[in-house]
């Protein structure tokens, strides 16, 4: 399967006449990841395409960086991110360092599907590939270049020098790829008190301490929080196995640890990054904050406050990467920050995928900065709520497995499309977006306009009082997902309204099952 996918990629690279650029390959800590990565490399070599393969496991964002750093036409990462241990996967990147988007995605898949005779799938002996200069092991040079790029994103070295040695940080790589790079960047910047969760420190494809290694899940933090209480840590950080997502717990002044969702940590970092760029050098006139359509409306409020452009794109960080490429090629637009609700963000443009290593660094820097102002990260979060409003966002999902499940997911979406709700949970729908039809309908005026985004089977409802709901099928699991958000008058009010809207959404769908 891996060879066939790689042969299809090789055929596509040959078709676009870019064989001379080579392909970078990385892999994670999962079972068979090193073997699959080597098979991919040898298939490329047999097709006359040089493979640059990492010596050991590396984070996804470093692979994204390596593609551009080495001038490659593509990248392959053998990883299943935060999924259960029995999973593995194969991610493909293009020369801009982002995961493939049109037309390359359909072009590559077309070549893969066209392979009907397995005898046409090539491979070669590793020693022969090395001798021919088509198989090169990479490591330290790329690591050092990646670290150098991360350090360029530091805004307040003064705050790190003043408070870095005083902060207590608990970190867990959840048996994955983040351990060495996350600890290295923190140590080199001057964070002296980093406590690593020993039980989760070493790579292990079985992920023995968790049922699945997802920093969105509470169980992923059990050991980290235990250690945090022992050492009185200021914050607890967890990167998923391929180190592109970051989960966060922060301690308040009463010693209570609060969970920061991906929306919360994303907004905290967005506000810190944009505010400090403004303070130190001023914001560019074409500065942009980018988010996905299922990400919190607090991002809109942040963009409005700093008078920067807010750009929305479809779910998937590759679309944020696509926007960065557009800025580069057109010369219009300056990337300030991009994030999605599923615990992924990117500071800087060294990579074109979400980067939990740079997020770890930036969050610790922000903690040092706020500490120098007599605040902790929870204080900073509350200050944001006071400034922008008490936004709360959540997600409900329904698993529907098998062929029947897929059919049911489609029928739910079609039912909503044919009979769109006028109100949900007491909130009046003011406009609806259908990304499959490429239309936005204003319900007050009846005016219709295009979404401006690629076709996708996604429905979105803008409602009164800054509430919203988005419905989409999962891209990786047999689920239909319901993302929603509200704006409250206090944290307690926001919690109450969010719970009520979530129940209303489930009741609406239950009536369609």
């Amino acid at each position: 399967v891996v060879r066939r996918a790689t042969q299809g990629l090789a055929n596509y690279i040959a078709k676009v006449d870019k064989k001379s650029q080579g392909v970078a390959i990385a892999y994670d800590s999962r079972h068979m990841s090193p073997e699959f990565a080597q098979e991919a490399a040898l298939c490329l070599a047999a097709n006359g395409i040089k493979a640059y393969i990492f010596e050991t496991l590396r984070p996804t964002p470093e692979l994204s960086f390596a593609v551009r750093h080495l001038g490659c036409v593509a990248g392959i990462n053998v990883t299943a991110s935060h999924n259960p241990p029995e999973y593995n996967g194969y991610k493909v990147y293009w020369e801009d360092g982002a995961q493939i988007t049109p037309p390359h995605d359909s072009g590559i898949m077309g070549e893969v599907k066209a392979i009907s005779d397995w005898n046409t799938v090539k491979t070669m002996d590793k020693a022969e590939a090395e001798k021919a200069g088509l198989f090169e092991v990479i490591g330290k040079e790329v690591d050092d270049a990646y670290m150098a790029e991360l350090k360029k994103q530091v805004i307040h070295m003064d705050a790190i020098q003043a408070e870095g040695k005083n902060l207590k940080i608990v970190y867990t790589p959840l048996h994955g790829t983040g351990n060495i790079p996350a600890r290295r960047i923190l140590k080199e910047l001057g964070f002296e008190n980093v406590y690593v969760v020993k039980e989760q420190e070493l790579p292990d494809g079985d992920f023995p301490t968790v049922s699945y290694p997802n920093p969105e899940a509470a169980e992923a933090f059990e050991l980290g929080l235990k250690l945090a209480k022992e050492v009185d840590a200021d914050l607890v950080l967890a990167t998923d196995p391929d180190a592109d997502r970051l989960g966060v717990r922060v301690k308040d002044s009463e010693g209570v640890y609060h969970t920061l969702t991906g929306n919360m940590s994303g907004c905290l970092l967005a506000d810190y990054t944009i505010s400090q760029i403004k303070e130190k050098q001023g914001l560019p006139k074409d500065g942009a904050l980018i988010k996905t359509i299922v990400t919190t409306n607090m991002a809109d409020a942040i963009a409005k406050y700093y008078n920067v452009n807010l750009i929305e794109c479809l779910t998937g960080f590759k679309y944020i990467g696509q926007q960065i490429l557009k800025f580069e090629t057109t010369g219009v637009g300056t990337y300030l920050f991009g994030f999605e609700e599923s615990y992924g963000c990117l500071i800087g443009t060294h990579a074109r995928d979400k980067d939990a290593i740079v997020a770890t660094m930036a969050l610790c820097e922000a903690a040092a900065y706020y500490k120098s102002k007599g605040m902790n990260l929870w204080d900073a979060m509350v200050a944001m709520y006071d400034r922008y409003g008490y936004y709360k966002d959540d997600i409900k999902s329904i698993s529907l497995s098998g062929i029947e499940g897929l059919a049911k997911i489609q029928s739910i979406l079609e039912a909503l499309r044919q009979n769109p709700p006028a109100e949900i949970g007491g909130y009046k729908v003011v406009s609806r977006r259908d990304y499959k039809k490429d239309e936005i309908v204003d319900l007050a005026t009846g005016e219709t306009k295009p979404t401006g985004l690629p076709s996708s089977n996604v429905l979105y409802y803008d409602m009164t009082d800054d509430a919203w709901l988005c419905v989409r099928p999962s891209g990786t699991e047999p689920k239909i997902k319901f993302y929603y958000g509200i704006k409250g008058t206090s944290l307690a009010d926001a919690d109450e309204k969010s719970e009520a809207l979530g129940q209303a959404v489930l009741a609406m769908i239950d009536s369609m099952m």
Side-chain angles (χ1 to χ4, degrees):
V1 171
V2 170
R3 283 181 184 168
R4 183 186 181 204
T6 309
Q7 185 64 52
L9 174 61
N11 291 347
Y12 182 78
I13 290 169
K15 189 174 274 189
V16 297
D17 197 23
K18 288 181 176 282
K19 285 175 66 171
S20 62
Q21 289 178 242
V23 175
I25 303 174
Y27 55 91
D28 68 6
S29 57
R30 288 174 182 271
H31 296 302
M32 299 296 291
S33 284
E35 291 86 350
F36 291 146
Q38 181 163 304
E39 289 298 337
L42 294 175
C43 179
L44 289 167
N47 281 276
I49 300 168
K50 184 170 183 176
Y52 298 89
I53 183 167
F54 276 102
E55 58 192 353
T56 54
L57 71 175
R58 290 296 190 281
T60 285
E62 187 170 350
L63 182 273
S64 173
F65 166 77
V67 169
R68 292 168 64 248
H69 178 70
L70 297 169
C72 294
V73 63
I76 297 168
N77 196 14
V78 181
T79 176
S81 189
H82 58 288
N83 282 297
E86 62 269 23
Y87 282 64
N88 213 335
Y90 183 101
K91 290 182 182 177
V92 178
Y93 292 73
W94 201 241
E95 59 188 335
D96 62 328
Q99 286 189 55
I100 48 172
T101 53
H104 306 300
D105 53 359
S106 56
I108 292 166
M109 279 311 299
E111 293 294 337
V112 175
K113 289 175 182 175
I115 298 169
S116 56
D117 182 353
W118 290 87
N119 290 317
T120 63
V121 176
K122 300 175 185 176
T123 188
M124 71 187 295
D125 180 73
K126 183 184 172 186
E128 287 179 24
E130 288 175 323
K131 189 177 178 182
L134 294 169
F135 185 106
E136 183 178 325
V137 176
I138 55 173
K140 184 179 185 303
E141 186 275 326
V142 180
D143 295 341
D144 292 347
Y146 173 61
M147 287 289 144
E149 285 299 318
L150 297 192
K151 289 174 184 175
K152 289 179 186 175
Q153 308 310 321
V154 173
I155 303 171
H156 276 293
M157 197 62 215
D158 54 335
I160 295 174
Q161 288 168 344
E163 297 292 350
K165 59 185 178 294
N166 300 322
L167 269 178
K168 290 183 179 178
I169 302 154
V170 164
Y171 169 70
T172 172
L174 295 178
H175 308 288
T177 62
N179 186 37
I180 292 172
R183 292 169 75 175
R184 176 179 171 181
I185 194 66
L186 293 179
K187 182 180 180 181
E188 290 183 7
L189 287 175
F191 293 99
E192 296 176 10
N193 297 306
V194 178
Y195 303 85
V196 179
V197 178
K198 285 291 175 194
E199 300 94 326
Q200 297 172 330
E201 178 182 9
L202 298 179
D204 190 330
D206 288 322
F207 307 110
T209 62
V210 285
S211 61
Y212 76 123
N214 188 346
E216 297 180 54
E219 66 162 337
F221 277 87
E222 286 177 8
L223 291 170
L225 283 169
K226 180 173 176 284
L227 178 58
K229 287 165 185 171
E230 289 170 11
V231 301
D232 193 29
D234 296 284
L235 62 161
V236 189
L237 305 174
T239 53
D240 70 339
D242 68 325
D244 62 353
R245 298 170 190 248
L246 177 68
V248 184
R249 301 287 188 273
V250 296
K251 188 181 71 174
D252 67 14
S253 54
E254 304 295 317
V256 176
Y257 288 93
H258 296 266
T259 299
L260 298 190
T261 65
N263 279 314
M264 292 164 75
S265 61
C267 284
L268 191 63
L269 283 172
D271 188 70
Y272 173 74
T273 302
I274 296 170
S275 69
Q276 297 315 304
I277 291 173
K278 180 182 179 182
E279 186 177 295
K280 292 204 83 174
Q281 63 201 53
L283 291 167
K285 288 183 179 176
D286 61 357
L289 169 60
I290 309 174
K291 71 164 195 172
T292 62
I293 58 174
V294 297
T295 299
T296 179
N297 282 354
M298 185 185 265
D300 305 50
I302 292 170
K304 185 178 179 183
Y305 181 84
Y306 292 107
N307 194 28
V308 300
N309 296 322
L310 180 87
I311 296 175
E312 278 194 329
C313 55
L314 291 177
T315 308
F317 215 89
K318 60 186 178 182
Y319 295 111
I320 295 177
Q322 197 176 47
Q323 290 294 325
I324 299 172
L325 178 63
K326 183 181 171 186
F327 293 165
E328 282 186 344
T329 52
T330 63
V332 179
T334 301
Y335 178 82
L336 296 173
F337 190 83
F339 76 111
E340 57 185 8
E341 55 76 38
S342 57
Y343 290 61
C345 71
L346 176 64
I347 299 156
T349 57
H350 59 282
R352 301 300 160 88
D353 208 340
K354 47 193 179 286
D355 186 346
I357 307 301
V358 79
T360 293
M361 179 194 87
L363 205 70
C364 292
E365 179 196 328
Y369 172 79
Y370 288 119
K371 195 174 179 73
S372 72
K373 305 290 183 186
M375 299 167 68
N376 55 51
L377 286 176
W378 184 246
D379 295 331
M381 193 73 228
V382 171
M384 284 177 58
Y385 283 129
D386 291 340
R387 175 184 291 168
Y388 302 121
Y390 293 85
Y391 291 88
K392 172 122 184 182
D393 307 270
D394 212 336
I395 180 173
K396 301 285 186 192
S397 60
I398 298 172
S399 295
L400 295 160
S401 57
I403 298 296
E404 301 85 357
L406 287 173
K408 190 64 189 175
I409 288 170
Q410 296 308 314
S411 73
I412 290 170
L413 282 155
E414 280 310 306
L416 288 168
R417 191 168 271 122
Q418 300 304 322
N419 299 289
E423 68 89 31
I424 304 166
Y427 297 96
K428 184 181 176 184
V429 177
V430 294
S431 73
R432 63 174 184 265
R433 311 177 209 169
D434 188 331
Y435 289 96
K436 190 175 181 181
K437 291 182 179 178
D438 188 30
E439 68 174 20
I440 302 174
V441 180
D442 185 313
L443 297 187
T445 64
E447 181 190 351
T448 301
K449 61 182 181 182
T451 64
L453 295 181
S455 177
S456 186
N457 194 14
V458 178
L459 299 169
Y460 192 106
Y461 306 96
D462 287 293
M463 299 184 284
T464 47
D465 299 332
D466 222 357
W468 60 277
L469 169 69
C470 184
V471 186
R472 62 180 282 267
S474 170
T476 56
E477 301 167 280
K479 290 180 178 179
I480 183 167
K481 294 186 171 184
F482 307 89
Y483 303 81
Y484 56 93
I486 55 86
K487 184 179 179 183
T489 56
S490 66
L491 285 174
D493 180 60
D495 285 344
E496 195 175 303
K497 285 177 175 171
S498 178
E499 176 65 23
L501 180 55
Q503 291 306 314
V505 168
L506 287 178
M508 179 178 76
I509 300 307
D510 195 43
S511 67
M512 301 165 66
M513 296 292 279

